[in-house]
Amino acid sequence: PLAPSAVLATVQGTRVTFQWSHGPLGNIATGFQLQAGTQAGVVDIGVLPVAGTARSFSIDAPPGTYHVRVVALN
């Protein structure tokens, strides 16, 4: 599937919320993954599965710098 678009991350205290939109062809993804790392292109913190119907995900995280990407899955 095409990548999610309009990905936005907001932080309030220790709560991080990610929001995204369907790819330009609509919802053809059966799931998503949030992949987190300590630097761009690295997934050394974790991979979080998210349902294909979701358009947002929230999690508490300790202070720090994170690189996160949202990946669509089939």
Side-chain angles (χ1 to χ4, degrees):
L2 295 175
S5 61
V7 178
L8 174 68
T10 56
V11 178
Q12 186 172 13
T14 61
R15 174 67 78 179
V16 182
T17 300
F18 300 93
Q19 298 174 325
W20 59 89
S21 298
H22 292 290
L25 298 177
N27 186 23
I28 58 173
T30 58
F32 295 96
Q33 281 185 346
L34 271 68
Q35 301 175 347
T38 55
Q39 55 187 316
V42 175
V43 183
D44 58 352
I45 294 175
V47 175
L48 302 169
V50 181
T53 56
R55 293 296 157 260
S56 66
F57 181 84
S58 294
I59 191 168
D60 286 321
T65 300
Y66 302 93
H67 296 266
V68 179
R69 63 181 162 210
V70 180
V71 178
L73 304 172
N74 262 352

